[in-house]
Amino acid sequence: MKTLTLPISNEAILDLHKGDPVALSGVMMLGRDTVHKWLYETFVRQTRQPQDDDLEVYEAIKPLLNGGAIYHCGPVVAGLDTKDYRFVAAGPTTSIREEPYQADVMRYFNVKAVIGKGGMGPKTLQGCQDAPGVYLHAIGGAASLIAQTVVKVLGVHKLSFGVPEAMWVIEVKDFPAVVTMDAHGQSQHAVIEQQSKAEFERLLAVPF
Amino acid sequence: MRDLTESLIELIRRTSTDLSPDVQQSLEQARDREERGSAAQSALITILDNVELSRKNSTPICQDTGTPIFYVRYPEGWSTRRLREQIRSAIAAATKKSYLRPNAVDSLTDKNSGNNLGDDAFPTIHFEEVEGDELTVELMLKGGGCENVGAQYSLPNSQLGAGRDLSGVRKVVLDAVQRAQGQGCAPGILGVSIGGDRGSSYYASKEVLFRPLADENANPDLAKLEQRLTDESNQLGIGPMGFGGKTTVLATKITGRHRLPASFFVSVSYMCWAHRHRKLTVRGEEVSYE
């Protein structure tokens, strides 16, 4: 088990390899579908004009993402009425939906770790080499367990996106994950996909 | 008519936080089958730790509490309009208690309703009047990750060499499992429907997931195909979370629907390992859960 502390240095990233279990600690931000589209269109590509509090939020999250981590997660949060927020359940969501945006977001904001489940594709693998950064796989569905590693909810941006889509800022201690895509171009997902595809072809040829 | 709202909140709590014993047992068997110390086994150990913790603390097993899908079977005399109201208020109350995540998003405005109530199909409620004096409510919570990897095929499919027979069904179901990789939170449970129109076929592929994991299909040909599809899916080596391993699918459930001569659909609903489904029964004054 390797321990990682946010923000993460390039040296620490280059020391990580596909298959390494890690325990991550520090402050990180949640962001999934709406956030990635918003970041990409408003700031990376600038095809959309900033609106409302967009620029304010941008200034607040920039230092968090620089050397930081983005967690694909839509949590169950208690204390919405009192703003005394507490994470009740917070497992990863499927990451592949961010494939069109992720590599550009990593490069633009210097994101070092993308956390989610299910893995990502070749664009993000290239992003991991460029940043350099890693993809950390958390256990899908292990929501109560992972919520226990959230020491504190520090705040939230764009709650107007809805609870599951907002940018929650959390402090975690020993958040458990496995490196499945590293900065050296290695992806466990590419390996399994290739192997299972070959087995599938073999099964297709088996008579009924 | 009596108010079932409190009992429905309890049904939702149990469904979201207390995994049914047959699914847990199947996950335990998978854990013992995987290679000692492998990523696959470690994932299953974490999954089972989480199952225990969720049960102990009454917190959601998975943060994606999905689309709540209700099947209500009621004796004569009950008002489905009032039952619908009670189900909807139970959903809102359970969301407030953090048993559910607010999941209903308006597709045109992107606005989350905040209380988990959307249009008539969110939550999804099916009503059926039955004989006797027993009312049952079955609930399934199906998350978006596994819903997204569901698939529907129109046979024949020349790319896969799949014709309009059980051999063709086998090929397309394996294709769906192969394409899903770990993204539907493997190990999954496959709900397969053969026939119907596009809509009824997908519905049937979900309904069949209410069957107990261990039961055997009454149709011997389908029973054989269910076992074969589970075995062959596991040969693909995708494994828990897609990490690689021996357990990709825990069980397969197949059903058939009548079809038009022109159509032959095969629908696959992929259920994640967190297969959350529970049942509430009302007999006179007595309310029980299973």
Side-chain angles (χ1 to χ4, degrees), chain A residues 74 91 140-141 144-145 188 196 203, chain B residues 50 59-61 63 101 170 178:
Chain A
S144 292
L145 202 69
Q188 176 70 359
S196 61
L203 286 169
Chain B
N50 179 63
T59 51
I61 296 164
Q63 78 292 335
R101 186 177 71 182
R170 167 183 168 265
Q178 151 65 19

Side-chain angles (χ1 to χ4, degrees), chain B residues 165-183:
Chain B
D165 48 31
L166 291 186
S167 164
V169 171
R170 167 183 168 265
K171 287 179 178 174
V172 298
V173 173
L174 286 175
D175 183 63
V177 176
Q178 151 65 19
R179 285 175 190 273
Q181 292 289 304
Q183 286 164 11

Side-chain angles (χ1 to χ4, degrees), chain A residues 3 13-14 17-18 20 24 34 44 57-58 63-65 78 91 94-95 111 144 183 208:
Chain A
T3 55
I13 288 295
L14 293 171
H17 292 87
K18 171 176 79 91
D20 289 344
L24 181 66
T34 306
V44 179
V57 174
Y58 175 72
L64 261 178
L65 293 178
T94 313
S95 299
V111 176
S144 292
F208 190 66

